[in-house]
Amino acid sequence: MNSTVSSSKPWPRPAEKSLAIKVLGELPDADPIGYSAGLGRDEQGMEIVRFAKPGDSGTTDFQFMIRGAIKEAGVVALLNRYYHRRTGTAPLGEDFSVRQAPKQEEALLDLVQENFDPQIMPTIIGVGDTVNSTVEGEGDAQTVRRGGSDRNFLQLIQNLGRRLNKGNLTVYVDSSGGEVKNRKAVEVEMQERNGKQVPVVVSGPGDDRDTEDPLTLNVVFRGGHEQYSQFFQTVAEARREIARNQGLS
């Protein structure tokens, strides 16, 4: 069944926008709401709703989050478990919880650098499918909003690698697929690099006008989850073959 809503005024109209903010807003002691796709966070650390407009479906997912359950803190918690399994000692204690982790990226980086032995720090590969940026306005009046539920943890992994001189990788799986219009599909073209023709991303997933995005995506799977899954299976099979040849399986 198809339905059409007509109006001479653009959406969201002031009354609807005010109501949406009231309904979706957070109370001081409430667990947070995650918006996907969103426009990052405001000065109070609150996520910003991305309202729909022509050609952009805006925020489509409203996620009721457990307080403290953020992906960046999860990276640190997983590292703590990794070190405990490998060395028998958890750098942050065996009872460390994501709720105890600092909220700011710089503080998280300091926490890892001060407590984890860099000699046994693994190479971390972060995989996400929700990263975006939007540039609003023109000229000197431009405002850049960077969001996506995977952005912050991918950026933490990237900056952790830079801090500790590790070759961490950030991987983006293009899951735009055309189902919703709040993710820009990645565009790729062949370019010559070091005498070889290689595929290079020339547009997306963020706004092309956002030329100073601090997040660098090292690997992009333009074919979405199916391409990524096939790659993962191929790597797993190759690893199994190496282990078999070395008598480790």
Side-chain angles (χ1 to χ4, degrees):
M1 176 178 178
N2 296 323
S3 60
T4 302
V5 178
S6 300
S7 173
S8 59
K9 297 181 179 179
W11 175 267
R13 296 180 290 279
E16 287 87 346
K17 184 171 182 178
S18 176
L19 177 61
I21 291 174
K22 289 180 180 179
V23 171
L24 300 173
E26 294 179 285
L27 297 173
D29 298 322
D31 286 340
I33 298 175
Y35 302 141
S36 181
L39 291 174
R41 296 177 181 273
D42 61 19
E43 293 76 9
Q44 288 73 45
M46 307 280 281
E47 293 202 25
I48 302 172
V49 176
R50 180 171 168 175
F51 287 102
K53 58 185 179 181
D56 183 347
S57 55
T59 296
T60 55
D61 298 349
F62 302 94
Q63 304 158 348
F64 293 87
M65 313 293 287
I66 299 175
R67 186 169 297 280
I70 59 175
K71 296 178 183 179
E72 305 89 90
V75 171
V76 177
L78 288 172
L79 274 177
N80 193 52
R81 295 182 183 181
Y82 170 83
Y83 273 71
H84 184 234
R85 290 181 62 180
R86 180 162 180 183
T87 69
T89 302
L92 301 178
E94 295 183 27
D95 297 327
F96 175 77
S97 166
V98 293
R99 291 177 180 269
Q100 300 169 259
K103 302 294 186 294
Q104 302 302 319
E105 180 191 293
E106 201 66 24
L108 283 168
L109 292 170
D110 290 340
L111 182 68
V112 174
Q113 189 169 23
E114 293 167 4
N115 292 278
F116 292 77
D117 182 358
Q119 297 301 316
I120 56 175
M121 175 66 66
T123 297
I124 305 174
I125 301 175
V127 182
D129 72 342
T130 309
V131 175
N132 62 65
S133 68
T134 302
V135 177
E136 301 171 339
E138 299 294 337
D140 295 337
Q142 281 188 348
T143 300
V144 180
R145 297 287 189 184
R146 300 186 180 107
S149 59
D150 295 323
R151 171 178 288 276
N152 289 343
F153 102 93
L154 289 176
Q155 194 158 315
L156 176 70
I157 289 172
Q158 167 190 282
N159 294 342
L160 190 60
R162 293 174 179 175
R163 275 265 194 123
L164 302 179
N165 196 29
K166 300 294 295 185
N168 291 353
L169 292 174
T170 55
V171 178
Y172 179 74
V173 180
D174 184 355
S175 61
S176 56
E179 292 90 352
V180 292
K181 296 179 180 179
N182 58 16
R183 300 184 188 183
K184 185 174 182 178
V186 170
E187 295 181 19
V188 177
E189 68 179 28
M190 300 301 293
Q191 296 183 4
E192 184 174 339
R193 298 288 174 88
N194 299 321
K196 296 182 179 180
Q197 290 289 320
V198 296
V200 176
V201 175
V202 295
S203 182
D207 194 312
D208 293 341
R209 295 172 293 171
D210 182 10
T211 59
E212 299 181 358
D213 193 330
L215 175 62
T216 299
L217 299 172
N218 304 119
V219 180
V220 170
F221 286 93
R222 185 188 181 192
H225 71 279
E226 292 182 349
Q227 183 185 19
Y228 172 70
S229 297
Q230 184 58 55
F231 172 80
F232 198 92
Q233 293 173 48
T234 301
V235 171
E237 182 58 37
R239 182 178 181 183
R240 179 162 39 186
E241 186 64 24
I242 291 172
R244 186 181 299 116
N245 293 336
Q246 294 177 344
L248 300 177
S249 62

